[in-house]
Amino acid sequence: MKRIAALRKPTSRVVETEKTRDRFTTRTVEVFHDLNGIDPEWTGIKSLIRVERFGTRKGKKYHQIVCYISSLICTAKEFALGIRGHWGIENCLHWVKDVVLKEDSSTIRLGNAPTNLSIIRAIALNILRRNGYTSITIAQRFISHDIDKLLHLMA
């Protein structure tokens, strides 16, 4: 991918800048559809995507380049939206399950139990969010010792 990005012009390119609480980020997404030189055994690839991110996070500079492959033909803007959407899932679901609900530190590891508990956690998150809770930690504190409040959420 580095070679392709260095030697060829992207089919499309988008640059986005974002400022949030403690972070300033500039993201450049480039899409390449000229796949000459890619191993022919990689069947189905239609696009190569290169994302460069740089900025500051809590006052510290960072720079990152990541590459993706896709079986889709989309514009850089479309891929940028999809990639950002993926991170939304990561931050709103996986991070919450890992950190707040302590899924990674679970000692349950045999059979279907880990998958079943993961599904139960996801259902619980959906119930809490559907009832207006944006902070799962606050929701846990509010309902954890009150079975009536918990049952009311599922009504």
Side-chain angles (χ1 to χ4, degrees):
M1 178 67 193
K2 286 182 183 180
R3 180 175 41 84
I4 289 173
L7 299 175
R8 300 183 190 151
K9 285 190 159 223
T11 306
S12 66
R13 181 178 196 259
V14 66
V15 179
E16 299 171 334
T17 301
E18 177 180 66
K19 185 175 186 323
T20 56
R21 293 173 297 246
D22 62 346
R23 183 181 297 188
F24 179 80
T25 303
T26 297
R27 238 177 258 100
T28 303
V29 178
E30 297 176 321
V31 178
F32 299 86
H33 291 130
D34 179 358
L35 305 178
N36 289 325
I38 298 294
D39 188 334
E41 290 192 27
W42 286 52
T43 58
I45 295 177
K46 303 283 188 205
S47 302
L48 299 173
I49 304 98
R50 180 182 183 270
V51 180
E52 182 176 17
R53 299 178 189 98
F54 66 89
T56 57
R57 195 178 293 140
K58 295 183 180 176
K60 295 182 180 179
K61 290 184 180 185
Y62 70 92
H63 181 248
Q64 179 184 47
I65 296 174
V66 293
C67 299
Y68 300 88
I69 58 173
S70 178
S71 60
L72 302 174
I73 296 177
C74 295
T75 66
K77 183 71 172 171
E78 291 167 323
F79 277 122
L81 288 170
I83 292 166
R84 292 291 288 159
H86 164 80
W87 282 109
I89 293 168
E90 179 63 33
N91 293 333
C92 291
L93 178 63
H94 299 296
W95 184 88
V96 173
K97 286 171 71 178
D98 292 344
V99 176
V100 177
L101 301 180
K102 301 183 182 350
E103 186 170 72
D104 284 351
S105 61
S106 173
T107 57
I108 298 169
R109 304 203 188 284
L110 298 176
N112 293 326
T115 301
N116 292 340
L117 286 172
S118 182
I119 291 168
I120 290 169
R121 287 182 189 99
I123 291 169
L125 289 173
N126 285 323
I127 290 170
L128 292 172
R129 289 200 172 113
R130 186 166 187 175
N131 281 277
Y133 289 100
T134 55
S135 170
I136 303 307
T137 302
I138 290 172
Q140 282 181 310
R141 288 183 194 138
F142 182 69
I143 65 170
S144 64
H145 300 293
D146 190 333
I147 191 70
D148 291 328
K149 287 179 189 172
L150 183 60
L151 292 173
H152 177 74
L153 292 177
M154 294 187 287

